[in-house]
Amino acid sequence: MRVHNCSFCSSPVYPGHGIMFVRNDAKEFRFCRSKCHKNFKMKRNPRKVRWTKAFRKAAGKEMVVDSTLTFAARRNVPVRYNRDLVAVTLKAMHRVAEIRARRERAFYKNRMRGNKAKQREEDRKLVAENQELLQQGGLVPRERAAATVMEVESEDSEEEVMDIEEPVEVREEVLVKVPVKRRKQKN
């Protein structure tokens, strides 16, 4: 029993699943689903279709060159059964899977580095351009201060209230959804 790879998207095709197409020159093509089969018949290039593994590798979104990827290569060398060899092979398979997962996580983190700051900058730009839409939707800007007067809602005494004499420095503007009743009272 062998698990084949889809000829279009490279996902696994398990026994009893998918479609097999044999060309006139006796080359076999296996497809995981009709979507891949139809795209193949339309002569689409898998490296240009965004949901395929070929695109992800060509665009640098997945690891291409790594020593752990060579373990999945097909080997047709028959080996006599040996219990110790099987045990060592299973341990090695688990270890290779761990190493591959760790390297893929590191690759992903390296690829995504800097995206958070860029996304935050784009969001700030969008908010700055569309202030009127935020106020129409019920969002009212509120200033968050580094240190503010902290009031405790207990009824013990006023000793728990902290007073600040210096002016408060504004660091960041935060948008808060205010209910309609409270919005009318503030204005």
Side-chain angles (χ1 to χ4, degrees):
M1 195 162 75
R2 181 158 176 233
V3 178
H4 296 277
N5 283 334
C6 178
S7 297
F8 193 78
C9 71
S10 302
S11 63
V13 181
Y14 295 99
H17 293 265
I19 302 162
M20 185 170 132
F21 169 68
V22 182
R23 210 166 44 191
N24 286 343
D25 61 353
K27 179 150 172 46
E28 290 181 0
F29 296 93
R30 293 182 184 264
F31 304 103
C32 57
R33 53 189 183 259
S34 62
K35 177 181 183 180
C36 295
H37 188 214
K38 287 174 185 175
N39 278 288
F40 177 81
K41 287 193 293 187
M42 285 191 280
K43 298 184 178 180
R44 288 200 174 143
N45 187 351
R47 287 175 302 215
K48 294 185 179 179
V49 181
R50 295 185 66 92
W51 50 269
T52 62
K53 277 193 178 179
F55 173 85
R56 293 186 61 78
K57 287 182 179 178
K61 298 189 178 296
E62 284 188 9
M63 289 192 304
V64 179
V65 180
D66 191 34
S67 59
T68 59
L69 299 173
T70 60
F71 286 104
R74 186 173 151 192
R75 292 174 188 85
N76 285 330
V77 180
V79 178
R80 187 179 177 122
Y81 177 76
N82 182 356
R83 178 175 277 178
D84 297 331
L85 180 64
V86 171
V88 170
T89 304
L90 289 174
K91 279 185 181 177
M93 287 169 61
H94 289 298
R95 183 74 178 125
V96 166
E98 290 173 7
I99 292 169
R100 182 183 297 165
R102 191 169 2 123
R103 287 181 183 174
E104 284 177 354
R105 278 196 305 271
F107 179 80
Y108 179 79
K109 283 185 179 179
N110 190 26
R111 190 166 59 87
M112 292 296 162
R113 188 179 302 143
N115 282 0
K116 191 179 278 188
K118 190 164 75 173
Q119 183 65 38
R120 190 174 292 140
E121 192 61 37
E122 288 175 5
D123 292 345
R124 283 193 176 122
K125 184 178 175 185
L126 184 67
V127 167
E129 290 173 356
N130 301 312
Q131 284 286 339
E132 68 281 352
L133 294 176
L134 294 174
Q135 291 172 354
Q136 289 174 359
L139 293 175
V140 178
R142 180 182 78 181
E143 296 171 351
R144 187 190 323 177
T148 58
V149 177
M150 297 176 58
E151 295 183 20
V152 180
E153 296 185 5
S154 64
E155 299 174 5
D156 296 336
S157 64
E158 292 187 16
E159 295 173 3
E160 297 178 11
V161 177
M162 196 167 85
D163 293 324
I164 298 176
E165 297 174 5
E166 299 119 25
V168 178
E169 179 184 322
V170 177
R171 287 190 180 185
E172 190 175 338
E173 190 173 282
V174 179
L175 298 175
V176 180
K177 182 88 172 180
V178 179
V180 177
K181 292 179 184 176
R182 286 178 42 197
R183 197 177 336 135
K184 288 180 181 176
Q185 291 172 358
K186 282 188 174 183
N187 293 338

